[in-house]
Amino acid sequence: MTSSPRLSLSVPEPAFRPGDTPDYSGVTFPEAGSVQRPPVDVNPEEIRDLAFTIIRVLDRNGEAVGPWAEALSPDELRKGLRDMLTLRAYDARMLMAQRQGKTSFYMQHLGEEAVSCAFQRALRPGDMNFPTYRQAGLLIAGGYPLVKMMCQVYSNDGDSARGRQLPVFYSSREHGFFSISGNLATQYVQAVGWSMASAITGDSKIAVGWIGEGATAENDFHAALVFASTYKAPVVLNVVNNQWAISTFQGIARGGSGTFAARGLGFGIPTLRVDGNDYLAVLAVAKWATERARLNLGPTLVEYVTYRAGGHSTSDDPSAYRPKEESNAWPLGDPVLRLKAHLIAVGEWSEERHTQAEAEVMDTVIAAQREAEEIGTLHTGRKPSPRDMFEDVYATMPPHLLRQRHEAGY
Amino acid sequence: MNGDGTAAPRLRLTYRDAVREAIRDALTRDERVFLMGEDVGRYGGCYAVSKGLLAEFGEDRIRDTPLSESAFVGAGIGAALNGMRPIVEVMTVNFSLLALDQIVNNAATIPHMSGGQFAVPLVIRMATGSGRQLAAQHSHSLEGWYAHIPGLKILAPATLEDARGMLWTAIEDPNPVLIFENVQLYDMEGELPADAGPVDITRAAIRREGKHASVVTFGGSVPKAVAAAETLAGEGVDVEVVDLRSLRPLDDATIMASVAKTHRVLVVDEGWRSGGLSAEVSARINEQVFYELDAPVARLAGVEVPIPYPKHLEDASVPQADTIAAALREMVGRR
């Protein structure tokens, strides 16, 4: 009888922990421009390699290179930069507002601004996003008023959700931003279902599901891929891999799979992996994936490789689980600086204009903040009445709820 | 009534047929309606409710899905958000627990948490209850759990008329509505007018008038309670049977009016006793009409075990006509 080894488990560990010096010099990324751009009606079997590479457009010199580089007008580029600057300034102010006690909770996008700001540019009115935590760029790039976002964060009387949601859980039907679920991944199957309805009714609108890499471990992620694959639903399924799910590094959810994008391969869903800190690459991939959906070619899975430079939320301290220097060492750079470098390289921007734009953006954000705070913050000013919380549970208030409202004194 | 003032012809059919007619009618009347679930198409549903509908309406409207409750309920929510009126069939209430997150954390909360921007006009039908010798994981009665959840409407059709008419009203309701079809009722036969239409889903109903005691119950226990009442009628005890019909919201007024009339009440619930719907109904009666009572509120509920497989054990685990009759005799002092 042969002797069997004592059984044991594998526990993936991140490359660096607090106290380590992060060093990515051994990690190689494909050069910008080096990855093929297939036609949108490609057989998914022919692009399996795209699940293991990274589509990049902006090179080290700020040039847009390769088959995924699209001709964007200077105004479109500047709009992209301004959107990202606005989101960053908005985050900075709201993070500070949380520290000042004006709200209890906040989640910033630092380092991930390109993903949602660029993706929004591929959408049309009527399309619907089913977002998760770090896609407020969809709202900002889509022109949703900053004041309304802030009122939601402050849960004041200007909050259209009337204090019924955690800060940053925005919702705007008009701006194609469904709502956010704290029970992760539920939105993924809803996105597929929404897009199925579009197809059943012969409409042209598409849906976009968003999920973080950590939440791909949830059942609904896999079930959504089954449904999208089975019915070839007109949906784009985005996985934002920002490396960290609170303190859980991406390897815990990824397991033995080479990449998160590779999850799509077993479902026969065309899958792309893209540099999430490259505004131009994100936009090009977003256009490719949304075009597939619009042409009734079915779903696309996209993994955005990025880095969550801040904490998960204001409730955690990242230095407890990763080196403080890790975000600076992250090899894909900063999305704002990279698009700025590109604009300068093409002669449509300058350091002076950038400094001026940052100041303008901050003024705009501060003016909006002042306006929101005139209504109120979490603890001051005008707040939603407790009377309101009894509304919208049912379209028509049933007698028991009316009685409970009366008993509560409203 | 028909337009010429004559009554529509009456059709003989089963509860199962009535549900099927309701679905067919909804599909015919409203192009936004479609049916989705496991085995609802080619197989016709595991309780044969949707048999024939695929051939009649096609695959866009009768959709067999992959086996993922969370996904087809979640996709139903998504489709409802996009203007459709989906009917999602979950094979049995036990399986619906795989979709609990979608139902409780999402369908029930979205209209509220979005500030009223997004409605979820979704109907979820599911089989519930014991009596088919399918053991614990296919036989429980968890509708009382769902009746705990704000934002949901919970219906338990116990008659052919309700099996036929509640779906219509539920589909037109802007809120998510869960309809629980007790498996013991599917073969129940009766008559309905050919033009049977929608029914109110806010009120409980008196299924049998009586003056000595009330039984408050719902779903599969309604015929059992009526049978028990008939037995007691032969013993000179006149029992009123209240069918809750809507488990959420509850129609307090009808319950209390019956208690105020008979002064004795037995609450019968096939679900488990502790923390169950019978406890809620009992508490409300004590809160609202305590001084009308001539005896303590009595309860008869499922015994608190996972439902077993063989018939004699299954029968022993939930209220039956004879145990309801015995409980009534005890309550009115006729042992």
Side-chain angles (χ1 to χ4, degrees):
Chain A
M1 215 172 103
T2 54
S3 66
S4 302
R6 188 165 180 267
L7 300 176
S8 65
L9 296 176
S10 158
V11 181
E13 264 296 311
F16 311 110
R17 283 294 192 189
D20 297 338
T21 303
D23 177 8
Y24 291 98
S25 58
V27 180
T28 54
F29 289 104
E31 290 293 321
S34 65
V35 176
Q36 61 153 321
R37 178 178 185 141
V40 290
D41 60 352
V42 66
N43 178 349
E45 289 299 314
E46 292 170 20
I47 57 164
R48 291 174 69 90
D49 58 318
L50 294 188
F52 298 97
T53 184
I54 298 186
I55 296 165
R56 309 178 69 198
V57 169
L58 291 171
D59 71 9
R60 281 193 204 110
N61 304 318
E63 303 288 345
V65 296
W68 290 91
E70 295 187 16
L72 289 189
S73 73
D75 282 345
E76 287 174 303
L77 293 170
R78 282 188 289 262
K79 152 101 176 130
L81 186 63
R82 187 170 283 265
D83 288 339
M84 290 196 287
L85 286 174
T86 303
L87 179 54
R88 188 165 286 188
Y90 173 81
D91 273 342
R93 295 300 299 188
M94 291 296 97
L95 198 62
M96 196 190 305
Q98 189 274 338
R99 300 296 186 219
Q100 293 167 337
K102 293 173 181 173
T103 183
S104 66
F105 179 86
Y106 191 70
M107 301 174 112
Q108 60 169 331
H109 302 69
L110 192 63
E112 299 177 44
E113 292 90 345
V115 177
S116 56
C117 287
F119 195 95
Q120 195 279 335
R121 306 310 295 160
L123 294 174
R124 294 180 189 164
D127 294 341
M128 186 60 70
N129 288 284
F130 289 77
T132 182
Y133 293 151
R134 263 169 267 276
Q135 282 87 48
L138 295 168
L139 290 170
I140 285 178
Y144 188 69
L146 292 173
V147 178
K148 293 193 75 170
M149 292 172 68
M150 288 165 170
C151 288
Q152 197 282 330
V153 170
Y154 289 150
S155 198
N156 66 17
D157 199 33
D159 172 15
S160 53
R162 316 302 296 144
R164 298 168 191 163
Q165 269 286 25
L166 198 62
V168 313
F169 285 43
Y170 313 103
S171 175
S172 172
R173 186 185 187 90
E174 190 189 342
H175 285 76
F177 195 98
F178 164 55
S179 180
I180 294 174
S181 176
N183 299 70
L184 300 177
T186 54
Q187 74 282 1
Y188 234 49
V189 281
Q190 292 162 7
V192 174
W194 195 100
S195 76
M196 285 170 66
S198 221
I200 292 169
T201 56
D203 203 341
S204 60
K205 298 183 303 244
I206 64 169
V208 183
W210 297 82
I211 200 167
E213 89 286 347
T216 62
E218 297 280 6
N219 301 342
D220 279 351
F221 170 75
H222 302 269
L225 293 187
V226 173
F227 271 57
S229 167
T230 299
Y231 300 121
K232 298 216 176 347
V235 63
V236 180
L237 296 168
N238 289 328
V239 178
V240 182
N241 175 5
N242 68 7
Q243 312 301 320
W244 291 95
I246 308 187
S247 70
T248 306
F249 96 105
Q250 50 86 16
I252 294 287
R254 181 168 51 77
S257 172
T259 65
F260 290 97
R263 297 269 190 231
L265 298 181
F267 296 94
I269 295 175
T271 296
L272 307 178
R273 192 157 181 261
V274 59
D275 179 349
N277 289 15
D278 180 337
Y279 184 95
L280 296 183
V282 171
L283 179 49
V285 162
K287 286 180 174 171
W288 193 88
T290 52
E291 188 185 351
R292 276 181 46 78
R294 290 188 208 289
L295 292 175
N296 211 31
L297 295 167
T300 308
L301 183 73
V302 184
E303 176 186 350
Y304 302 84
V305 181
T306 181
Y307 188 87
R308 195 194 77 208
H312 168 72
S313 74
T314 47
S315 301
D316 65 305
D317 172 11
S319 69
Y321 49 80
R322 67 185 192 193
K324 280 184 178 159
E325 307 78 25
E326 191 175 89
S327 76
N328 287 333
W330 177 248
L332 291 176
D334 178 82
V336 171
L337 296 181
R338 288 176 67 189
L339 187 59
K340 172 192 167 194
H342 175 63
L343 266 163
I344 290 174
V346 296
E348 291 290 345
W349 202 239
S350 66
E351 290 292 348
E352 295 72 32
R353 290 180 74 178
H354 191 78
T355 305
Q356 188 188 341
E358 280 182 320
E360 285 170 11
V361 161
M362 187 54 85
D363 284 349
T364 304
V365 171
I366 289 173
Q369 189 178 9
R370 197 168 293 136
E371 196 180 326
E373 291 182 6
E374 275 170 23
I375 300 171
T377 68
L378 184 60
H379 301 295
T380 64
R382 304 204 313 273
K383 301 169 184 173
S385 164
R387 184 187 169 91
D388 289 348
M389 75 183 177
F390 296 91
E391 301 288 341
D392 299 323
V393 181
Y394 293 98
T396 307
M397 196 178 298
H400 75 274
L401 204 51
L402 187 63
R403 190 167 59 243
Q404 288 171 23
R405 195 185 85 192
H406 290 158
E407 284 167 4
Y410 302 99
Chain B
M1 302 287 274
N2 287 334
D4 59 4
T6 59
R10 293 182 72 80
L11 303 176
R12 185 140 194 96
L13 73 178
T14 63
Y15 182 99
R16 171 186 295 106
D17 298 331
V19 178
R20 185 186 307 116
E21 285 311 304
I23 298 170
R24 176 182 281 128
D25 178 58
L27 289 160
T28 307
R29 200 177 56 248
D30 188 339
E31 62 180 15
R32 300 170 302 176
V33 172
F34 68 99
L35 177 71
M36 171 164 70
E38 292 169 19
D39 294 315
V40 299
R42 306 234 168 250
Y43 185 57
C46 74
Y47 289 102
V49 167
S50 52
K51 220 175 181 84
L53 296 181
L54 175 64
E56 191 173 345
F57 292 97
E59 289 179 343
D60 259 358
R61 308 200 64 198
I62 307 293
R63 185 169 296 273
D64 279 324
T65 66
L67 276 57
S68 173
E69 284 76 10
S70 181
F72 57 73
V73 171
I77 292 171
L81 292 168
N82 196 5
M84 304 288 280
R85 294 292 181 274
I87 304 170
V88 171
E89 177 176 312
V90 178
M91 216 176 252
T92 144
V93 66
N94 282 99
F95 301 174
S96 77
L97 303 193
L98 290 154
L100 211 52
D101 192 16
Q102 290 289 347
I103 298 170
V104 176
N105 281 318
N106 285 264
T109 61
I110 287 164
H112 190 252
M113 293 181 92
S114 68
Q117 290 183 89
F118 290 94
V120 185
L122 171 69
V123 174
I124 306 173
R125 297 174 37 247
M126 60 184 105
T128 186
S130 63
R132 293 279 179 149
Q133 288 188 248
L134 293 167
Q137 290 162 340
H138 308 79
S139 302
H140 286 148
S141 296
L142 301 175
E143 49 270 41
W145 265 12
Y146 286 105
H148 182 61
I149 309 300
L152 301 179
K153 292 191 176 179
I154 307 299
L155 305 180
T159 65
L160 267 63
E161 185 192 20
D162 280 353
R164 176 74 174 80
M166 277 183 169
L167 186 71
W168 182 319
T169 320
I171 283 171
E172 292 185 348
D173 197 289
N175 300 102
V177 182
L178 276 56
I179 302 180
F180 289 87
E181 297 159 12
N182 190 289
V183 294
Q184 293 173 73
L185 299 175
Y186 280 128
D187 292 332
M188 182 172 73
E189 279 191 61
E191 284 191 353
L192 275 184
D195 63 350
V199 296
D200 166 83
I201 58 168
T202 64
R203 304 305 301 270
I206 307 296
R207 296 301 179 200
R208 187 187 189 283
E209 299 264 359
K211 56 185 186 230
H212 295 135
S214 300
V215 178
V216 177
T217 189
F218 64 92
S221 296
V222 171
K224 295 175 183 175
V226 171
E230 296 302 331
T231 301
L232 264 81
E235 302 169 17
V237 180
D238 194 8
V239 175
E240 179 148 303
V241 177
V242 180
D243 173 5
L244 289 172
R245 299 180 70 246
S246 167
L247 310 187
R248 181 176 190 89
L250 283 169
D251 173 17
D252 290 0
T254 302
I255 300 168
M256 303 315 154
S258 181
V259 176
K261 175 178 161 192
T262 64
H263 310 292
R264 290 170 198 271
V265 59
L266 172 69
V267 185
V268 178
D269 176 3
E270 187 176 332
W272 293 305
R273 182 185 179 99
S274 298
L277 193 70
S278 66
E280 175 64 26
V281 173
S282 170
R284 290 190 187 205
I285 292 167
N286 284 310
E287 286 166 351
Q288 296 179 39
V289 289
F290 181 77
Y291 294 104
E292 296 287 354
L293 291 169
D294 287 346
V297 178
R299 283 196 285 158
L300 190 62
V303 295
E304 296 183 22
V305 300
I307 303 253
Y309 162 69
K311 184 168 184 344
H312 72 289
L313 298 183
E314 195 179 35
D315 285 350
S317 65
V318 298
Q320 306 294 346
D322 59 344
T323 57
I324 296 171
L328 284 166
R329 284 187 200 103
E330 182 163 352
M331 194 169 64
V332 298
R334 304 238 179 136
R335 268 178 265 183

